[in-house]
Amino acid sequence: MYTEKVMEHFTHPRNVGVMEDADAVGEVGNAKCGDIMRMYLKIDDDIITDIKFQTYGCGSAIASSSMATELIKGKSIDEAMKLTNKAVVEALEGLPPVKIHCSVLAEQAIKAALLDYSKRTGKHIDGLEDFDPNEDAHDHGHEEDED
């Protein structure tokens, strides 16, 4: 049911924890399944130099959070904004269809943190104009129905 990559990131998640001196914090949740993700970012010169997460949820939610942090750590804000839930799923070598919403939550948690960063610093970040961190991942029109 789960790929080895999903199991690896679930049993040995990367970048787990709280970042006390974070430049940005984003939290999103899914009312239907109860998953909650919080992302902490440290940003220097528009580069994500450190990232931590806390996730309350299933193995797929933890694996998606872990993989998403790995995919954007060391990247620019612009590169992080381009991360899609589909890229997270591909990096995990697949998720069961009923767990795709976990990858959407990971993408949303990163965007929620970047929105927080934008509000704290006054820096405009392209692509966040219509982003609503309170939008439910099950209702989100992402690429979860593709393939």
Side-chain angles (χ1 to χ4, degrees):
M1 182 169 175
Y2 292 106
T3 66
E4 285 184 34
K5 188 77 79 171
V6 171
M7 292 306 297
E8 171 63 22
H9 277 268
F10 168 59
T11 57
H12 300 96
R14 282 66 155 180
N15 305 307
V16 133
V18 175
M19 186 183 298
E20 297 296 335
D21 62 343
D23 295 315
V25 181
E27 183 175 307
V28 294
N30 184 297
K32 292 185 175 115
C33 67
D35 293 338
I36 299 171
M37 292 182 186
R38 182 177 289 145
M39 294 277 179
Y40 302 87
L41 304 177
K42 191 75 177 158
I43 301 172
D44 292 313
D45 294 324
D46 288 342
I47 302 295
I48 298 167
T49 57
D50 199 9
I51 183 168
K52 299 280 185 212
F53 79 91
Q54 291 178 298
T55 293
Y56 175 81
C58 65
S60 294
I62 292 166
S64 292
S65 299
S66 174
M67 181 56 78
T69 65
E70 288 285 282
L71 291 171
I72 68 163
K73 190 173 187 178
K75 305 285 187 197
S76 69
I77 289 172
D78 288 340
E79 289 172 304
M81 281 298 299
K82 292 176 185 165
L83 180 71
T84 64
N85 71 297
K86 188 172 183 180
V88 173
V89 172
E90 287 173 359
L92 288 170
E93 299 171 358
L95 282 173
V98 297
K99 296 296 185 177
I100 296 294
H101 68 274
C102 296
S103 65
V104 175
L105 269 178
E107 175 189 340
Q108 288 179 320
I110 290 165
K111 287 183 178 169
L114 291 172
L115 181 62
D116 180 54
Y117 181 74
S118 177
K119 288 177 179 176
R120 287 183 190 204
T121 63
K123 290 185 180 183
H124 174 78
I125 299 175
D126 287 334
L128 289 178
E129 297 83 9
D130 297 322
F131 175 70
D132 180 1
N134 299 312
E135 187 175 312
D136 196 314
H138 276 111
D139 300 329
H140 206 272
H142 268 64
E143 304 155 42
E144 59 186 298
D145 294 326
E146 287 186 8
D147 297 337

